[in-house]
Amino acid sequence: MESVGRHLIMELWDCNENLDSVEAVRQALVEATAACGATLLELFVHPFTPQGITGVAVISESHILIHTWPELGYAAVDAFTCGKKVRPEEVVPVLERYFRPGHVQVMEMKRGVFNARTRVPAGAVVR
Amino acid sequence: MESVGRHLIMELWDCNENLDSVEAVRQALVEATAACGATLLELFVHPFTPQGITGVAVISESHILIHTWPELGYAAVDAFTCGKKVRPEEVVPVLERYFRPGHVQVMEMKRGVFNARTRVPAGAVVR
């Protein structure tokens, strides 16, 4: 079995810093991209009224995304990377440094799982 | 229990059309945004060499993302939406129309699950 990429789904709770800082979200995305060994293609950060930020780093190896809810002390982060050289788990310490969460949950999902020999998706109906 | 949003994780296999069309990915994101009742903030589509596309729609309600692997007939799509008015499941027929997948898997994850009364995250350690 092979897969096209690894998708880390992260839930950050009890965040004590920077959830409403556009500059911090931007810097966290830049540093997270570098930390996991990815290549940044595009960076977009949008502040909401009255609060909350969405930041997306489009990388050559897929994406890193941060959505923040300061009113809940919560951030949802996704890091989806393809290729064997990129290490999406390196995003986690960067997030911890920027947002100081009291509690982090990380789940990992393989995306695009297929049979390496037949190149048929795992679970495909054989017709 | 409440949550900040719904995250649909979609695996499209045996796609027969448009996996390497920048214009189709762009249009699919625009129509998917409209179909689920979301508001488009930013659209970014990047073609890779020799093939494959990443497209991201940043929406007021979070994001819709498409990554394609034409060599595998595969696309990974995420639709993360917050708010009760947006219906991320409406993305699916748009994707089916644009990419003609033979097989689609949709998983749904609630993000930012918390206790509506105490506003404490589900699973939080009570100290």
Side-chain angles (χ1 to χ4, degrees), chain A residues 11 63 67 74 78 111-112, chain B residues 11 63 67 74 78 111-112:
Chain A
E11 300 273 282
H63 70 263
H67 300 290
Y74 168 74
D78 285 66
R111 297 293 295 268
Chain B
E11 302 272 280
H63 70 265
H67 300 290
Y74 168 75
D78 286 66
R111 297 294 294 268

Side-chain angles (χ1 to χ4, degrees), chain A residues 4-5 7 9-11 13-14 41-42 44 46 48 54 56 58-63 65 67 69 71-72 74-78 80 82 102-103 107 109-114 119-125 127, chain B residues 4-5 7 9-11 13-14 41-42 44 46 48 54 56 58-63 65 67 69 71-72 74-78 80 82 102-103 107 109-114 119-125 127:
Chain A
V4 305
H7 186 172
I9 295 171
M10 290 160 276
E11 300 273 282
W13 286 104
D14 297 327
L41 292 175
E42 184 82 8
F44 177 75
H46 182 87
F48 290 95
T54 282
V56 54
V58 179
I59 58 180
S60 294
E61 300 82 3
S62 294
H63 70 263
L65 258 159
H67 300 290
W69 279 261
E71 68 275 30
L72 291 168
Y74 168 74
V77 183
D78 285 66
F80 182 168
C82 58
H103 178 74
M107 284 169 287
M109 183 178 285
K110 294 268 195 289
R111 297 293 295 268
V113 177
F114 64 97
R119 298 183 80 75
V120 166
V125 178
R127 282 168 284 219
Chain B
V4 304
H7 185 171
I9 295 171
M10 290 160 275
E11 302 272 280
W13 286 104
D14 296 327
L41 292 176
E42 183 83 5
F44 176 76
H46 181 87
F48 291 95
T54 282
V56 53
V58 180
I59 57 179
S60 293
E61 301 82 4
S62 294
H63 70 265
L65 257 159
H67 300 290
W69 279 261
E71 66 276 29
L72 291 168
Y74 168 75
V77 183
D78 286 66
F80 183 166
C82 59
H103 178 75
M107 284 170 287
M109 183 178 285
K110 294 269 197 287
R111 297 294 294 268
V113 177
F114 64 95
R119 298 185 79 75
V120 166
V125 179
R127 282 170 286 221

